[in-house]
């Protein structure tokens, strides 16, 4: 539904953990997800990732992830893998292709010239 390579998915790490933004497509599925999220009917998020050697620490039954190779994120209506996650809908004017390319360069730390 969204992909970081196209700029429709933005993944960032903040003080709380992983943060994401996505441009939902104007499809039935995209509209359904936006509607469910606006009503708070989405259960949370699940993440698919690999942990490289040395990328985690165990303290009893508590696992701390220090490094992961994130493969996918999923919006889940019921029984998310991580119950502490949240999802919110906010309205934003859609980005043009040029704005999306600039945003990707900014996230990658690249330089760009505005024309």
């Amino acid at each position: 539904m969204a992909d970081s390579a196209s700029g429709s998915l933005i993944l960032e790490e903040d003080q709380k953990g992983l943060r994401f933004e996505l441009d939902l497509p104007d499809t039935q599925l995209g509209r359904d997800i936006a509607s469910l999220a606006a009503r708070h009917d989405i259960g949370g998020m699940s993440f698919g990732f690999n942990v490289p050697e040395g990328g985690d620490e165990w303290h009893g039954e508590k696992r701390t992830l220090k490094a992961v190779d994130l493969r996918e994120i999923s919006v889940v209506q019921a029984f998310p893998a991580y119950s502490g996650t949240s999802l919110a809908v906010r309205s934003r004017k859609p980005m043009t292709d040029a704005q999306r390319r600039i945003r990707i360069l900014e996230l990658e730390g690249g330089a760009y010239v505005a024309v």
Side-chain angles (χ1 to χ4, degrees), residues 29 32-33 35 43-44 50 59 61 63 68 72 77 82-83 85 99 101 104 106 113:
L29 180 58
D32 287 349
I33 290 174
S35 178
N50 296 321
H59 303 283
E61 298 214 2
R63 182 184 190 194
V68 298
E72 59 92 16
Q77 188 168 0
Y82 301 94
S83 59
T85 60
Q99 290 169 322
R101 286 191 298 272
I104 291 169
E106 289 172 342
V113 177

Side-chain angles (χ1 to χ4, degrees), residues 22-94:
L22 62 93
D23 287 334
L24 290 170
D26 187 19
T27 62
Q28 188 60 51
L29 180 58
R31 290 185 296 272
D32 287 349
I33 290 174
S35 178
L36 290 167
R39 289 174 21 148
H40 304 288
D41 288 342
I42 300 290
M45 301 296 300
S46 290
F47 304 94
F49 56 87
N50 296 321
V51 180
E53 187 171 328
D56 60 355
E57 293 179 348
W58 286 91
H59 303 283
E61 298 214 2
K62 182 179 179 182
R63 182 184 190 194
T64 302
L65 299 173
K66 301 185 310 182
V68 298
D69 179 16
L70 183 63
R71 293 296 184 182
E72 59 92 16
I73 62 173
S74 300
V75 175
V76 181
Q77 188 168 0
F79 310 113
Y82 301 94
S83 59
T85 60
S86 63
L87 178 75
V89 175
R90 99 182 154 163
S91 179
R92 180 174 74 168
K93 198 166 127 183

